[in-house]
Amino acid sequence: MPELPEVESVVRSLCSSSSSLIGRRVEQGFIYGSRVVSGCSAEEFLQQVQHACFTSIERHGKYLFFEMQPGCATTAVPFFLVIHLRMTGRLYLVPVAERSAKYTRLSLILSEQLALRFDDPRTFGRAWLVEHPSIVTSTLGPDALTVTVQEFTTRLAGSKRQLKPLLLDQSFVAGIGNIYADEILFRSRLHPLTNSRNLAPNEVHRLHQAVRTVLEEAVEAHGANIDGVFKAGNFIVSVYGRSGKKCRICESPILRITVGQRGTHFCPECQRRK
DNA sequence: CACTCTACCTGTGCGC
DNA sequence: TGCGCACAGGTAGAGT
């Protein structure tokens, strides 16, 4: 389940010097199924990326932005390939000889015997082409990994919502999903049903600090490791998916409730409701 | 306007 | 063994 840290790991791996996407040209593209491309037809999509060159990769929240330079010099206006992995999307470079996987949705054959592969069993993930990332980011809040305490405090003051749905709202801050929302609330010792308007200044500060540090630690660990369910990296979760198990701090059993249709895990002792 | 709810998907794991 | 079902979740868009 790719959230901000997992998406950031994708950016870093695609930028790594050993096999970087940057500077490589699309020789040929393949689309499997009708769902992956949004906003234009598969034919239009393939025509536009054909011969285009990857010039940079950026991330905002869970969105990936690939800046591309068209191959034809006469129409050399850069554009952006935008990809959202949603629930089950994976994006990686492979040797061009490697067969497409069962759930490959998009494959871009690159120069130097490499291919960029987008796999997605549940077909929730999307790829589209835009003139500028702002077309996508205008509806998103600041990136959760870098949001300042000032901006966080200002945005929180404009809200009267429960903390769990608020953290999941990408227009509040971008990049937090269900796993890290629970982890962040545990780290900040705040109950998920706490209303944002009831937070004392020191609690707002604590919440912001938890957003930053939990995500930084998860990025450092290359993503989450949820025992037996999901493994992207080595970030060990404290509460997500651990209902009934002992809190790592106080040994109380972790509870699971439903908040805004989402499974929500927390420690009733460490995260007392105000 | 601000917020809440549902549809979209399919692999997994459970009970019978 | 195999069937049916609930469950997981990010976002757009519909609903309140």
Side-chain angles (χ1 to χ4, degrees):
Chain A
M1 303 157 209
E3 301 181 25
L4 188 153
E6 290 77 24
V7 178
E8 178 65 21
S9 292
V10 171
V11 174
R12 294 184 182 187
S13 73
L14 292 180
C15 285
S16 75
S17 56
S18 56
S19 61
S20 176
L21 188 60
I22 306 302
R24 292 186 196 276
R25 187 173 302 281
V26 177
E27 294 183 347
Q28 197 177 4
F30 295 93
I31 289 168
Y32 306 91
S34 59
R35 294 182 193 282
V36 64
V37 168
S38 183
C40 69
S41 71
E43 292 72 23
E44 289 169 320
F45 182 95
L46 291 175
Q47 190 184 351
Q48 192 168 353
V49 298
Q50 176 99 9
H51 304 314
C53 202
F54 287 93
T55 55
S56 69
I57 311 175
E58 283 176 44
R59 178 195 59 74
H60 189 104
K62 304 168 199 170
Y63 287 83
L64 289 157
F65 299 93
F66 300 88
E67 187 182 11
M68 304 196 74
Q69 189 70 33
C72 176
T74 55
T75 58
V77 181
F79 63 94
F80 292 83
L81 165 63
V82 184
I83 290 180
H84 196 302
L85 302 172
R86 294 282 186 105
M87 293 295 300
T88 51
R90 291 215 315 131
L91 196 61
Y92 55 103
L93 285 167
V94 290
V96 72
E98 191 163 310
R99 280 189 56 191
S100 291
K102 183 177 178 185
Y103 300 112
T104 297
R105 306 297 175 197
L106 173 66
S107 183
L108 298 178
I109 310 300
L110 308 169
S111 43
E112 297 170 64
Q113 303 297 306
L114 277 181
L116 179 66
R117 189 72 55 77
F118 180 20
D119 295 354
D120 186 14
R122 284 188 216 178
T123 69
F124 272 26
R126 290 290 180 272
W128 56 102
L129 302 173
V130 296
E131 294 174 11
H132 196 271
S134 62
I135 295 165
V136 178
T137 57
S138 62
T139 61
L140 299 176
D143 189 81
L145 193 59
T146 51
V147 62
T148 64
V149 67
Q150 290 84 0
E151 187 161 21
F152 188 84
T153 304
T154 304
R155 299 180 78 86
L156 197 77
S159 167
K160 301 171 179 177
R161 301 170 68 185
Q162 292 172 330
L163 294 181
K164 175 68 189 273
L166 183 64
L167 288 176
L168 290 175
D169 185 345
Q170 302 301 297
S171 69
F172 173 62
V173 289
I176 300 169
N178 205 39
I179 297 166
Y180 292 105
D182 285 0
E183 296 301 310
I184 286 163
L185 288 169
F186 176 74
R187 186 73 64 95
S188 56
R189 307 194 304 282
L190 292 166
H191 193 287
L193 296 177
T194 302
N195 197 292
S196 54
R197 88 191 121 183
N198 295 334
L199 291 187
N202 70 314
E203 291 173 322
V204 174
H205 197 266
R206 225 162 67 209
L207 183 57
H208 169 261
Q209 196 67 23
V211 168
R212 294 281 302 262
T213 55
V214 165
L215 294 178
E216 281 169 11
E217 288 172 21
V219 166
E220 193 67 27
H222 307 109
N225 179 357
I226 296 155
D227 196 27
V229 180
F230 174 79
K231 172 106 168 69
N234 300 306
F235 181 82
I236 306 293
V237 296
S238 294
V239 287
Y240 180 85
R242 295 192 68 242
S243 54
K245 294 182 180 169
K246 285 181 177 179
C247 171
R248 301 192 196 283
I249 303 289
C250 75
E251 302 198 339
S252 299
I254 300 298
L255 293 186
R256 183 192 186 278
I257 59 174
T258 300
V259 184
Q261 331 301 125
R262 290 285 172 262
T264 297
H265 315 75
F266 69 103
C267 171
E269 286 302 317
C270 296
Q271 299 166 267
R272 295 265 184 89
R273 193 169 183 186
K274 298 208 335 172

